[in-house]
Amino acid sequence: MNKSKYYILAGAALIAILAINRAIEISRENAREIFNTARYNNAHGEPVEVITAQNKTGTLKFPVAVRYGRILVSSARVNDFKVGQTLTSGGVIVNIARRIDLDTGLLVITAKAPSGNTFVRAEYNGAFVPLSAIHGDKIMIAHDGRATERKITVIAQDMEHAVIRGVQDGEEIILTAIEPNTKIRKVR
């Protein structure tokens, strides 16, 4: 055999050895739990953020614009407001007229408040949860190390939170998006 055939044979053998070595390294790395997060989460549970449900009285804030002592709202929102509610700008609602402003088609609420954008504070009783925890009319509850779906009733919501009924004090509400019956690991 001439030298060129030895070089080709030696090169092929070197490539085969490198490929086998790389396959062994990949196999070792895949066996490690830290490297393989899917396997680790399957064994120990998906990491989820939870909050503890507590039924209480709290405040939601609804954005409004006050112009010359008038707040204009849609008919869908008018029931969120009551006489005596305070505004974050220091004002108060004094009248909820069920008459329509002909220029805008919205209902008129009268307030003693400075003109500008502000929020109306409204008190509700129930469990306060971030909107991201609600999926339609359901939330996820941590129960026996698994995510369990729970049907709830949304009483009211503002831009960030909702007041719900259907959970007991002390139950852990899952904030992370997860499928029902998934094994979980709680992260606070």
Side-chain angles (χ1 to χ4, degrees), residues 4-184:
S4 64
K5 287 184 181 180
Y6 284 121
Y7 289 132
I8 292 172
L9 188 58
L14 181 61
I15 290 172
I17 290 170
L18 290 174
I20 291 169
N21 186 42
R22 183 65 184 140
I24 291 169
E25 286 179 20
I26 289 171
S27 175
R28 285 182 186 155
E29 285 295 315
N30 281 339
R32 292 178 54 199
E33 284 186 347
I34 295 171
F35 176 79
N36 194 328
T37 55
R39 184 179 298 136
Y40 181 84
N41 289 343
N42 191 36
H44 302 286
E46 292 285 330
V48 294
E49 187 177 355
V50 298
I51 59 169
T52 303
Q54 182 182 6
N55 287 293
K56 62 181 182 178
T57 299
T59 303
L60 293 180
K61 296 190 297 187
F62 300 103
V64 294
V66 179
R67 300 290 179 255
Y68 308 110
R70 295 173 17 143
I71 301 171
L72 301 176
V73 297
S74 68
S75 60
R77 289 188 60 207
V78 74
N79 292 327
D80 291 333
F81 305 102
K82 295 175 181 46
V83 172
Q85 282 179 308
T86 60
L87 286 73
T88 56
S89 63
V92 65
I93 293 178
V94 293
N95 185 26
I96 299 176
R98 299 284 178 167
R99 65 180 173 82
I100 295 176
D101 178 69
L102 297 177
D103 292 333
T104 62
L106 298 172
L107 296 172
V108 178
I109 295 175
T110 309
K112 286 186 181 176
S115 292
N117 295 331
T118 186
F119 294 91
V120 175
R121 294 184 188 105
E123 284 194 359
Y124 290 94
N125 190 13
F128 286 73
V129 298
L131 287 178
S132 61
I134 301 172
H135 312 286
D137 63 346
K138 295 181 177 127
I139 59 171
M140 290 294 188
I141 300 287
H143 181 70
D144 292 336
R146 298 234 174 240
T148 305
E149 203 169 47
R150 173 77 59 85
K151 189 170 174 68
I152 50 104
T153 302
V154 176
I155 299 165
Q157 70 183 51
D158 62 11
M159 298 173 305
E160 298 174 356
H161 296 91
V163 182
I164 64 170
R165 287 204 179 107
V167 294
Q168 301 297 319
D169 285 349
E171 287 186 309
E172 293 178 311
I173 300 169
I174 298 173
L175 302 180
T176 309
I178 194 162
E179 292 295 318
N181 206 29
T182 302
K183 187 175 183 179
I184 60 168

